[in-house]
Each structure stands twice: as structure tokens, then as C-alpha cells.
Amino acid sequence: GHVIGPIETQGELVVGPAAHLVGRLKVGALELAGEAEGDVVADRWAALHEGATLRGTLESPRVRIADGARLDGVCRVGPLRGEADTASPSP
């Protein structure tokens, strides 16, 4: 299917190989096998499977990009902005 608009869920979003999403995604976890365009924030993890295409930014503490997947944009892996960085000492 084709979805335009933001998607927000605390759960896992599974995007099949025939799907095309356009808009901001704010999810607990992402399994992408199709196409997505826009900013993506995955609170727990994001996986781009073979044949997946993401055009936009990706931010998540854990990211897996399979051979044959494509990311056109910026990827930030690590604690999400606004989360306390437990490795840094307190000021």
C-alpha cells in the first residue's frame, strides 16, 4: 500500500516489500522491507531488510542494514536525543 502522513506508535511497525510510506515515522521499532521517505525515529531499534529503501534521516539506538538495503540520508546510531547519556559523567 501507499501511506502519506505521519505514523506514530510505541509498538513495532512492519513495512512489507510492496509498501511505500511518505512522512515522519516515530515508532518503538521498525522493520522496513519496502520504501519510506521522511524522518524516522525508532526508540528501540530499526532494521532495513534486503530491498528496502529509506530516503531521509534515521535515528535509533540500534540499527541493522542488510546487504541490498539502501539508506539515502543521515543515520544517527546511539542514545536518542534527550535521553541521558549514562557513559558521560554528570556536570
Side-chain angles (χ1 to χ4, degrees), residues 7-90:
I7 296 175
E8 186 167 343
T9 180
Q10 293 179 359
E12 180 178 336
L13 177 64
V14 178
V15 181
H20 185 170
L21 306 178
V22 178
R24 184 177 190 281
L25 302 178
K26 172 82 168 91
V27 297
L30 175 67
E31 294 248 2
L32 181 64
E35 294 184 46
E37 297 179 46
D39 295 337
V40 176
V41 176
D43 293 334
R44 295 187 306 276
W45 52 266
L48 278 62
H49 298 286
E50 182 178 356
T53 299
L54 174 59
R55 292 178 191 91
T57 62
L58 173 60
E59 185 174 356
S60 184
R62 294 176 38 212
V63 173
R64 182 177 43 139
I65 301 175
D67 287 345
R70 181 176 179 160
L71 173 61
D72 291 332
V74 175
C75 181
R76 182 175 184 278
V77 180
L80 297 178
R81 293 178 190 159
E83 288 186 359
D85 184 356
T86 56
S88 298
S90 297

